[in-house]
Amino acid sequence: MDLGYLVNPAVFLVETLFGLYILAVLLRFLLQWTGADYYNPISQFLVKVTHPPLRLLRRFIPAIGRVDTASLVLMLALQMVAGYLVFLLQGTTAISVAALAVWSVHDLLDLVLNIFFFCIIARALLSWFGRMPYHPAAALLASLTEPLLRRSRRLLPPTGGLDLSPLLPLIGIQLVRMLFLPPLQHLAVLLN
């Protein structure tokens, strides 16, 4: 009996389970980096979920300034393990560690860009509804996006009651995606 049909569900499970945990670590890293409210319920959830491995890693990997390097190492390691398992499930057994590392950096950068892209869109949509009552997710969206939007508002102030400031970061994110992700993919192929 051919069990080849099980490859896609197995890849889906690996990508989903690892992806969700990597997302939690990345969100914790970004919220910590932007100085978001630590006592926000969503922040507290992310801290509780990601604390065990980070507590262990922080014993060996100190932070550099405001950058939590233990989180970066954990994300990269998890992404590399997930990538290796996916390649293994798909029948690719020979992949170099360097190629796997570059693929992982590519995937993490893509995830960061997606987070900021969708957070800016969500914040812009929420702004259409005026002052909404305090919600933990809205507060975190503001913490994540305000540094980008503040700079954008200096260049593109609101005109006629219409705030076009989200356009500049969205265009910038797409440019970064087009300029940096394809060369990373090409480098990973060359390293393998």
Side-chain angles (χ1 to χ4, degrees):
M1 178 176 201
D2 181 30
L3 297 178
Y5 70 94
L6 293 176
V7 170
N8 287 340
V11 167
F12 168 75
L13 279 177
V14 167
E15 288 178 341
T16 301
L17 296 177
F18 275 88
L20 287 172
Y21 198 76
I22 291 167
L23 177 64
V25 175
L26 181 57
L27 284 173
R28 177 182 174 159
F29 173 80
L30 291 174
L31 291 172
Q32 184 179 0
W33 191 50
T34 58
D37 180 15
Y38 178 79
Y39 297 103
N40 184 301
I42 298 171
S43 296
Q44 286 295 303
F45 169 76
L46 293 171
V47 167
K48 287 178 184 172
V49 167
T50 59
H51 185 67
L54 287 175
R55 180 181 56 209
L56 177 68
L57 283 174
R58 286 185 179 134
R59 292 180 187 168
F60 309 104
I61 305 168
I64 300 173
R66 288 180 42 197
V67 177
D68 183 14
T69 50
S71 293
L72 294 176
V73 169
L74 179 61
M75 284 184 286
L76 184 61
L78 288 172
Q79 190 64 52
M80 287 179 72
V81 169
Y84 180 73
L85 290 174
V86 167
F87 282 123
L88 197 62
L89 287 168
Q90 292 174 339
T92 306
T93 55
I95 184 163
S96 71
V97 174
L100 195 56
V102 172
W103 273 114
S104 298
V105 168
H106 168 276
D107 290 347
L108 290 172
L109 179 59
D110 189 39
L111 182 59
V112 169
L113 294 173
N114 281 334
I115 287 171
F116 279 109
F117 186 84
F118 289 112
C119 283
I120 289 169
I121 288 177
R123 179 128 183 243
L125 290 175
L126 285 175
S127 73
W128 292 353
F129 300 107
R131 298 297 259 161
M132 294 187 67
Y134 175 80
H135 189 276
L140 292 182
L141 278 175
S143 295
L144 277 174
T145 57
E146 190 55 35
L148 292 172
L149 293 176
R150 187 179 318 118
R151 289 185 184 114
S152 179
R153 281 188 207 106
R154 287 185 204 139
L155 297 171
L156 194 63
T159 55
L162 190 60
D163 184 14
L164 299 175
S165 62
L167 285 177
L168 290 179
L170 291 174
I171 291 169
I173 288 168
Q174 288 304 99
L175 281 175
V176 168
R177 185 184 310 277
M178 288 187 267
L179 291 173
F180 291 106
L181 294 184
L184 282 174
Q185 282 180 325
H186 185 66
L187 179 61
V189 170
L190 289 177
L191 290 172
N192 197 23

